[in-house]
Amino acid sequence: MRYRVEVHADAHTRLKAMAEDVLRGLGTRPRSLPPKYFYDAAGSRLFDEITRLPEYYLTRTEDALLDRLAPALMRALEPRDVVELGSGFSLKTRRLLEARGGGALRYTPVDVDETTVAASAERLLAEDPALQVHAIIGDFERHLVHVPAPSGRRLVLFLGSTIGNLDAPARQALLAQVRSLLHRGDRLLVGVDLVKDVAVLEAAYNDAAGVTAAFNRNILRVVNRSLGADFQPEAFRHHAWYNAAESRIEMHLVPETRQTVHIRSLDLTVRLEPSESIWTESSYKFTRASTRAMLAAAGLRLDAWHTDVDKRFALALAGPTSRAVAARAPRAA
Ligand SMILES: C[S@@+](CC[C@H](N)C(=O)[O-])C[C@H]1O[C@@H](n2cnc3c(N)ncnc32)[C@H](O)[C@@H]1O
């Protein structure tokens, strides 16, 4: 059997976790919603559209870096086991899988969006007869314990600057878990977006076609459908800006006028003033030094650092140091 899927976040568990997150996020100031709830099938499609926007340099730049690096990287590592966190459409992953030259390999995508993972797996399996896919549908912050034992040398991928959506404590907790998936000779390849000119950064999250705004508002549609809420997404303005003190883009939804929102399954009424936004995403930006420090704190050593000529984006290759860091026990699902 070449395709196996484990669902660790079934509909009931997911709804329960979302109810807790929404209650906590909207009940505290500043109000917030966790970015993982952008990604229903429509959210994944909108993100895919974002990746092709002229202003959104991240995907293009990372893809070109992978294109350049893949052959030498795969020759040097010869991985037989590739685990990918937040795999989405696995488009860039294809470059790496193709570059291995066809030996047996097990690919373990870990993502919350089952529809997208299933479609990507089907395409990869059709193209690659030596591939096995063991998909894990779940939250990479909670469910990495379910990643199967390695089938050979392992390469863990965390691409697309998704690590930047986590704040520092969450990054550390996740990287410590990733460290526990690695043995000597295994590697982590992580894509990080770099600190740069504010105008370039802000343009990437404020595209002229309004796709990022639609993606941002989609989180309200997900909450409406899942928890019986009555947000009017179009009554919220998309606002994304670079917070230089924290090295992060912040994405917010700002009510145009006072909004009263009922969330049926939480039996909750929320009143939102135009002066208070809902913070939906952070996208942290890194330097080589901050990436090295972040990896080191999780028991990982920066082995190689690859950037494009404009130093917009970097791929960091890391290996485990002998000093393992205690991985925080993941919360029960
Ligand atoms: C920014 S996209 C990147 C997708 C792809 N890796 C790329 O580079 O284009 C983030 C992906 O991570 C997934 N994701 C976000 N938060 C997640 C979480 N906590 N657990 C599992 N998957 C998550 C989303 O469903 C989405 O596919």
Side-chain angles (χ1 to χ4, degrees):
M1 204 171 51
R2 291 175 60 217
Y3 183 52
R4 187 167 164 199
V5 59
E6 286 182 32
V7 180
H8 290 288
D10 60 31
H12 174 73
T13 316
R14 238 183 351 239
L15 272 187
K16 193 163 160 281
M18 183 191 281
E20 286 165 12
D21 288 339
V22 170
L23 196 57
R24 194 172 35 245
L26 294 183
T28 43
R29 305 294 203 286
R31 300 191 199 260
S32 64
L33 289 171
K36 64 185 163 206
Y37 298 125
F38 285 126
Y39 296 95
D40 62 348
S44 290
R45 269 197 309 277
L46 283 166
F47 178 75
D48 186 48
E49 238 181 281
I50 289 173
T51 64
R52 282 177 270 115
L53 291 168
E55 298 92 337
Y56 197 81
Y57 59 85
L58 290 85
T59 309
R60 260 194 319 278
T61 313
E62 189 182 38
D63 198 27
L65 277 171
L66 278 172
D67 193 30
R68 201 178 80 206
L69 292 176
L73 183 73
M74 296 305 267
R75 234 187 351 262
L77 287 181
E78 293 190 340
R80 290 286 161 254
D81 183 297
V82 171
V83 178
E84 180 168 18
L85 315 191
S87 50
F89 288 96
S90 305
L91 290 177
K92 284 169 280 178
T93 319
R94 270 163 103 184
R95 293 207 179 280
L96 288 162
L97 299 182
E98 279 166 16
R100 83 182 190 283
L105 187 141
R106 186 183 66 203
Y107 174 51
T108 304
V110 183
D111 202 291
V112 281
D113 179 6
E114 183 170 8
T115 316
T116 301
V117 169
S120 312
E122 195 179 332
R123 199 197 53 235
L124 290 172
L125 288 165
E127 289 169 357
D128 190 337
L131 191 70
Q132 284 198 337
V133 177
H134 184 143
I136 301 213
I137 308 305
D139 186 334
F140 52 56
E141 293 186 83
R142 297 180 184 208
H143 297 122
L144 289 190
V145 284
H146 300 294
V147 169
S151 57
R153 180 163 312 145
R154 176 172 272 172
L155 173 64
V156 176
L157 303 174
F158 199 12
L159 303 177
S161 166
T162 305
I163 194 165
N165 296 147
L166 305 174
D167 63 16
R171 287 198 296 269
Q172 286 317 134
L174 180 62
L175 286 174
Q177 286 190 66
V178 169
R179 165 68 183 79
S180 70
L181 295 177
L182 301 177
H183 297 95
R184 213 152 70 136
D186 294 347
R187 290 291 180 271
L188 164 69
L189 186 68
V190 57
V192 290
D193 194 20
L194 300 179
V195 172
K196 64 180 72 62
D197 183 47
V198 177
V200 175
L201 282 171
E202 291 191 341
Y205 296 83
N206 288 289
D207 59 284
V211 184
T212 313
F215 174 74
N216 197 3
R217 291 190 190 102
N218 189 58
I219 202 166
L220 301 182
R221 295 203 169 82
V222 172
V223 175
N224 279 354
R225 198 183 51 242
S226 310
L227 300 180
D230 59 1
F231 278 106
Q232 293 177 47
E234 298 310 321
F236 289 78
R237 181 168 53 84
H238 166 73
H239 178 52
W241 65 288
Y242 186 59
N243 179 337
E246 301 289 344
S247 300
R248 69 182 177 218
I249 287 281
E250 292 188 13
M251 224 158 72
H252 295 255
L253 287 166
V254 188
E256 300 274 16
T257 56
R258 178 184 293 173
Q259 298 289 309
T260 301
V261 180
H262 306 281
I263 306 180
R264 206 176 44 242
S265 38
L266 300 179
D267 199 16
L268 178 74
T269 299
V270 186
R271 289 193 177 77
L272 293 158
E273 300 293 331
S275 57
E276 49 181 357
S277 62
I278 303 175
W279 187 356
T280 50
E281 188 181 84
S282 295
S283 185
Y284 284 85
K285 308 303 166 189
F286 297 87
T287 61
R288 184 179 184 149
S290 66
T291 305
R292 184 193 293 279
M294 163 177 85
L295 292 167
L300 294 159
R301 171 195 68 242
L302 180 64
D303 279 348
W305 175 257
H306 303 278
T307 64
D308 55 300
V309 282
D310 298 321
K311 303 223 175 336
R312 289 186 164 189
F313 199 92
L315 281 169
L317 187 70
T321 60
S322 45
R323 185 181 67 89
V325 169
R328 190 190 64 177
R331 284 168 288 166

